[in-house]
Amino acid sequence: MYVAMVFLPLLGASLAGLGGRWLGARGAGMITTGGVGTAALLALVGLYEVGVCGSPTYVRLGPWMEVDWMDASWGFQFDALTSSMMVIVTLISTLVHLYSTEYMSHDPHQPRFMSYLSLFTFFMIMLITAENLVQLFLGWEGVGLCSYLLINFWFTRYAANKAAMKAMIMNRIGDFGFALGIFALFATFHSVDFATIFAQVPAYAAENGSSWLTVICLLLFVGAVGKSAQVGLHTWLPDAMEGPTPVSALIHAATMVTAGVYMMIRCSPLFEYAPSALVVITIFGAMTAFFAATTGLLQNDLKKVIAYSTCSQLGYMVFAVGLSQYSISMFHLMNHAYFKALLFLSAGSVIHALADEQDMRRMGGLVKLLPFTYTMILVGSMALMGFPFLTGFYSKDVILEVAYAHWSFQGTFAHWLGCLSAFFTAFYSFRLIFMTFFRDTNAYKASIAGVHEAPWRMATPLAILGVASIFVGYLTRDLFIGLGTPFWGTAIYTHPDHWIQADAEWIPVLVKWIPFFVSVAGAAGAVLLYTIGRFVILQIQLSWVGRRVTQFLTQKWFFDRVYNETFGPMLLRWGYTTSYGALDKGLIEATGPVGGWNFAGRGASLFHGFQTGYVYHASFWMIVGVSFFLAFLFLPIFGTAVAWLNLPVLLLLGVALLFVS
Amino acid sequence: MGWFVLSSSLYVTGLSGMAFNRKNVLILLMSIELMLLAINFHWIGFSFALDDAMGQVFALLILTVAAAESAIGLGILVIYYRVRGTIAMDWIHLLRG
């Protein structure tokens, strides 16, 4: 059952990818959806067996690489962490598959699309079930590859090509750090196996201190920064919106971006012994949450707003990891998967209804035309902003509470930025809802005339995710983050000194209310500003300061500008002048083909110069040559030379003389 | 030692004639004859100096070789003149590198 869970998506991907021409769009859709759907049902059984009944399962398929100390084998571990991750990956993937069969039904490449989606799911499962770092890295690179293929799905579009390459390259930067981290782990612990490494960490830390562990953890965190789009390497994420909407749902909700956070949670026994690294992680996570939330404020692309909210929520998860609250981070990851998938798929429904219009400025007034989609977006947004008793509330508020209860500089920092982000999150969520559904419409007449509510294959996933976004947090809270829950078993390790979940229960009630107040204030602010206050906000935006601030936010804090105008040209120039000009066209060519050609040509022209054809020239050189050898043999000044000059050396010297010019 | 200096100078004269003569194949052949003559002088001189008759035998043999060589050389010269209409050395450089 556990092996089937892993390989069913691969089977579906292979069948749809290789046999798509015979299966047809419908057949490919059914096979891939069926494969992933079966895996999802099995994953639910797995969650029951592993998580609830408490029986972790380990499956070892066989050896992969066995060289000296190195032993990486094909193995799958299903502990509480894997099985809970497995449920969201396969479940949301199934819903996205089902949704795609309708959303992509007019695309001539639908079998290819379904195949990529299933392959993506397979690699993600490979990542989360891996029992060693090398196999995890396989899944890690695999999801990167599949994200490239999917973002570039409409490969005739220039923007999609660029976005896909950007996603791939930005991810590779992180992967480089991650690979270095794996190397460092192997060099330190002589193993790539999670169990083996984690068993050695406490003794190693007791003996050697935590400085080297900090380096390792920071390198692993660089990998997570790339994959989970933390500030610095986040620029690929908004651009990844070029792919079809279900792809965005898959990348942003359940798979790709969660991998970075998942990896850090998986390595919790390592991170727990590197407190300095945790401080850095907290600061980065909090900055990402804040940065993305502010950037989301003024985006006009429907999908980009949601993309920045993903970035922001990932920041929450990362700083929860930095505060050692791995189970809370995981809980938020799972809740986020449901409501973010819901938001993206609902956005897809809007885009589908408006004939692929993504610009919110060209929308409006859809509440009467698309009541179901509106309801779903409202549920998703409320869950996202942590409205009480919806899914997001249970994890987000706990994250902010533990940040407050951490009693440290980074905890306070994260708490402040987290609360501000909550305000902005509510603001842009309601701005999105208002601009899309309530304002007088700005859409073209043709698109408004063609508006239709989501068909059943799109509506069913929405409904399921809507229900999940309302109830999952409430239902699973005690299971995942209840005080003293036995669910996680040994999957997550928290250092006893870092145990603050109980402290979080005793913080002032007013502090606990802060997220609610700022969220409501943000939502109300958005509604007010975009209804009765819309001329006020126009005046603010037109003022000198307002213009600068607006520009700063719409230009995404100038990250892309700085990257494109400073680092990009710097690297390009280095690539051209140094690696291409000085090395490839310079040193290697001068000593290689061109140099050899010149050398041979000079030698040949020298020989050729000697052969004039005149008899007296020939006889002159004969005389010179004979005199030279006679002198060598008989003149005493050459005596020492003769002692070591033998015939081969003389021949070599003669040949060498011919080449001197 | 006067004969040795004389015959060596004769040899160098012939050698110079080979190297510096740019006009005439005839002079080239004459220079070769001069060099062979110088060698013969050496043979005979050393034969007297070392009191060994073998040098004179060699000198006789070289005389025949020199006669044959100049006969064949002049034959080639005549044939060449018939073909090219000239015996100038400056024109004999058809086999340039």
Side-chain angles (χ1 to χ4, degrees):
Chain A
M1 181 186 100
Y2 290 97
V3 177
M5 220 189 288
V6 176
F7 287 105
L8 273 174
L10 179 65
L11 186 70
S14 324
L15 286 177
L18 300 173
R21 286 178 71 89
W22 293 280
L23 290 169
R26 222 183 156 75
M30 274 161 70
I31 281 191
T32 48
T33 313
V36 181
T38 315
L41 290 178
L42 294 177
L44 283 171
V45 179
L47 180 71
Y48 173 74
E49 274 191 12
V50 173
V52 179
C53 302
S55 59
T57 305
Y58 300 88
V59 183
R60 181 157 290 195
L61 285 190
W64 181 10
M65 288 182 260
E66 279 181 37
V67 186
D68 206 16
W69 298 327
M70 170 95 175
D71 177 14
S73 46
W74 293 106
F76 306 103
Q77 58 174 358
F78 292 85
D79 54 9
L81 185 56
T82 302
S83 55
S84 47
M85 192 80 187
M86 195 77 184
V87 167
I88 57 162
V89 169
T90 50
L91 198 63
I92 287 177
S93 181
T94 306
L95 297 178
V96 168
H97 272 74
L98 181 61
Y99 183 94
S100 302
T101 53
E102 175 67 41
Y103 188 85
M104 302 297 286
S105 59
H106 305 298
D107 199 286
H109 293 285
Q110 207 195 347
R112 181 164 68 91
F113 185 75
M114 301 308 291
S115 166
Y116 286 166
L117 278 187
S118 272
L119 192 65
F120 198 126
T121 314
F122 165 71
F123 275 122
M124 191 66 197
I125 293 173
M126 210 66 186
L127 194 159
I128 59 181
T129 57
E131 62 156 28
N132 60 56
L133 280 157
V134 182
Q135 196 181 328
L136 188 144
F137 196 65
L138 176 90
W140 189 271
E141 294 297 308
V143 290
L145 167 73
C146 287
S147 75
Y148 171 82
L149 294 171
L150 282 170
I151 294 167
N152 206 4
F153 179 71
W154 288 315
F155 53 82
T156 48
R157 294 177 58 224
Y158 189 51
N161 302 154
K162 285 206 301 185
M165 282 197 284
K166 189 171 179 182
M168 194 78 177
I169 292 166
M170 294 302 268
N171 264 300
R172 283 302 80 75
I173 298 174
D175 294 350
F176 186 64
F178 186 44
L180 286 180
I182 296 177
F183 300 156
L185 272 178
F186 181 68
T188 316
F189 299 110
H190 302 315
S191 172
V192 288
D193 219 42
F194 284 127
T196 318
I197 292 173
F198 296 158
Q200 294 180 64
V201 172
Y204 179 86
E207 197 174 327
N208 301 305
S210 68
S211 48
W212 180 240
L213 287 176
T214 304
V215 173
I216 293 176
C217 287
L218 285 177
L219 285 172
L220 295 181
F221 177 61
V222 170
V225 166
K227 200 56 98 190
S228 291
Q230 295 301 292
V231 70
L233 293 178
H234 66 278
T235 54
W236 68 271
L237 191 67
D239 288 24
M241 293 297 106
E242 291 299 335
T245 311
V247 172
S248 312
L250 202 57
I251 289 182
H252 286 229
T255 55
M256 187 95 177
V257 294
T258 57
V261 180
Y262 170 80
M263 184 268 290
M264 290 199 290
I265 297 173
R266 167 62 72 202
C267 295
S268 57
L270 201 61
F271 282 83
E272 279 303 271
Y273 284 96
S276 325
L278 288 179
V279 175
V280 176
I281 292 169
T282 312
I283 304 268
F284 259 83
M287 287 198 310
T288 309
F290 179 70
F291 151 76
T294 53
T295 311
L297 282 180
L298 290 176
Q299 297 300 312
N300 288 319
D301 188 310
L302 181 61
K303 282 169 77 181
K304 282 208 171 147
V305 175
I306 309 176
Y308 277 108
S309 84
T310 303
C311 205
S312 176
Q313 296 304 307
L314 284 164
Y316 279 94
M317 294 172 212
V318 168
F319 81 66
V321 164
L323 300 169
S324 300
Q325 306 307 309
Y326 303 96
S327 55
I328 297 175
S329 178
M330 188 65 200
F331 185 45
H332 192 52
L333 197 161
M334 289 188 282
N335 294 345
H336 171 256
Y338 294 112
F339 59 71
K340 192 48 59 73
L342 175 64
L343 275 175
F344 264 114
L345 295 184
S346 318
S349 173
V350 171
I351 293 166
H352 200 58
L354 283 177
D356 294 337
E357 178 60 64
Q358 292 197 18
D359 197 329
M360 288 200 294
R361 288 168 298 189
R362 293 237 156 263
M363 293 179 182
L366 292 175
V367 65
K368 292 224 175 77
L369 298 167
L370 300 171
F372 176 70
T373 306
Y374 163 69
T375 314
M376 288 300 126
I377 284 207
L378 187 67
V379 169
S381 295
M382 298 282 249
L384 170 69
M385 57 187 257
F387 197 79
F389 314 123
L390 295 185
T391 293
F393 167 74
Y394 290 98
S395 47
K396 195 174 186 176
D397 277 22
V398 174
I399 287 181
L400 291 173
E401 281 166 24
V402 292
Y404 185 85
H406 199 262
W407 311 119
S408 61
F409 163 72
Q410 72 268 24
T412 313
F413 183 79
H415 183 249
W416 267 95
L417 289 190
C419 288
L420 281 172
S421 309
F423 173 78
F424 292 130
T425 306
F427 188 92
Y428 65 65
S429 295
F430 268 80
R431 176 173 174 269
L432 182 150
I433 288 175
F434 181 77
M435 287 179 82
T436 314
F437 291 103
F438 286 108
R439 203 181 43 177
D440 293 341
T441 189
N442 262 335
Y444 297 113
K445 188 182 171 189
S447 3
I448 279 289
V451 162
H452 52 280
E453 188 61 274
W456 74 269
R457 274 183 295 177
M458 282 163 69
T460 313
L462 287 184
I464 295 173
L465 286 169
V467 171
S469 296
I470 298 173
F471 294 111
V472 158
Y474 170 70
L475 290 176
T476 58
R477 183 188 181 282
D478 276 344
L479 182 63
F480 289 130
I481 59 165
L483 279 180
T485 172
F487 176 77
W488 296 109
T490 53
I492 286 176
Y493 172 77
T494 309
H495 196 279
D497 295 351
H498 299 161
W499 182 256
I500 54 168
Q501 251 173 292
D503 303 27
E505 299 291 329
W506 300 102
I507 62 174
V509 176
L510 211 56
V511 175
K512 291 194 174 203
W513 277 97
I514 289 178
F516 173 74
F517 286 140
V518 294
S519 293
V520 171
V527 172
L528 286 177
L529 276 179
Y530 283 92
T531 49
I532 49 176
R534 65 178 185 270
F535 294 108
V536 179
I537 199 165
L538 186 69
Q539 287 307 316
I540 294 173
Q541 284 195 346
L542 285 178
S543 70
W544 191 84
V545 180
R547 261 207 325 270
R548 297 294 181 284
V549 172
T550 308
Q551 199 184 20
F552 185 65
L553 293 181
T554 50
Q555 294 294 314
K556 308 149 193 170
W557 286 36
F558 296 113
F559 265 102
D560 280 307
R561 280 278 295 277
V562 171
Y563 282 1
N564 291 342
E565 289 171 17
T566 310
F567 294 109
M570 218 160 71
L571 287 172
L572 271 180
R573 207 176 307 118
W574 184 85
Y576 184 75
T577 55
T578 306
S579 70
Y580 176 70
L583 294 178
D584 280 8
K585 295 295 280 182
L587 188 69
I588 293 173
E589 276 209 8
T591 55
V594 172
W597 186 76
N598 279 338
F599 186 67
R602 287 224 191 98
S605 68
L606 194 68
F607 274 119
H608 148 88
F610 280 128
Q611 311 296 322
T612 55
Y614 292 111
V615 179
Y616 44 82
H617 282 164
S619 54
F620 171 74
W621 282 116
M622 247 154 66
I623 294 162
V624 168
V626 169
S627 318
F628 184 74
F629 280 106
L630 284 179
F632 252 109
L633 286 176
F634 294 116
L635 284 187
I637 41 167
F638 291 117
T640 45
V642 174
W644 57 268
L645 278 180
N646 50 19
L647 193 63
V649 176
L650 281 177
L651 281 175
L652 273 179
L653 270 179
V655 173
L657 275 174
L658 289 175
F659 281 92
V660 174
S661 64
Chain B
M1 287 299 283
W3 61 270
F4 184 77
V5 174
L6 175 72
S7 53
S8 293
S9 318
L10 212 56
Y11 185 83
V12 172
T13 312
L15 211 55
S16 314
M18 270 186 74
F20 300 123
N21 159 44
R22 305 189 153 221
K23 289 292 168 198
N24 205 326
V25 182
L26 262 177
I27 296 175
L28 181 73
L29 284 173
M30 283 154 74
S31 305
I32 292 172
E33 287 305 313
L34 209 58
M35 282 157 71
L36 286 166
L37 181 68
I39 289 166
N40 265 348
F41 275 5
H42 275 114
W43 278 122
I44 290 164
F46 277 116
S47 161
F48 272 106
L50 301 174
D51 197 17
D52 188 344
M54 193 55 97
Q56 299 173 36
V57 175
F58 268 114
L60 271 174
L61 286 175
I62 285 174
L63 269 181
T64 40
V65 168
E69 180 256 314
S70 30
I72 293 168
L74 285 169
I76 292 171
L77 178 72
V78 169
I79 290 165
Y80 188 81
Y81 181 74
R82 204 187 279 166
V83 175
R84 293 286 305 269
T86 175
I87 53 166
M89 294 282 281
D90 282 341
W91 296 92
I92 309 177
H93 62 286
L94 291 177
L95 294 175
R96 285 194 299 275

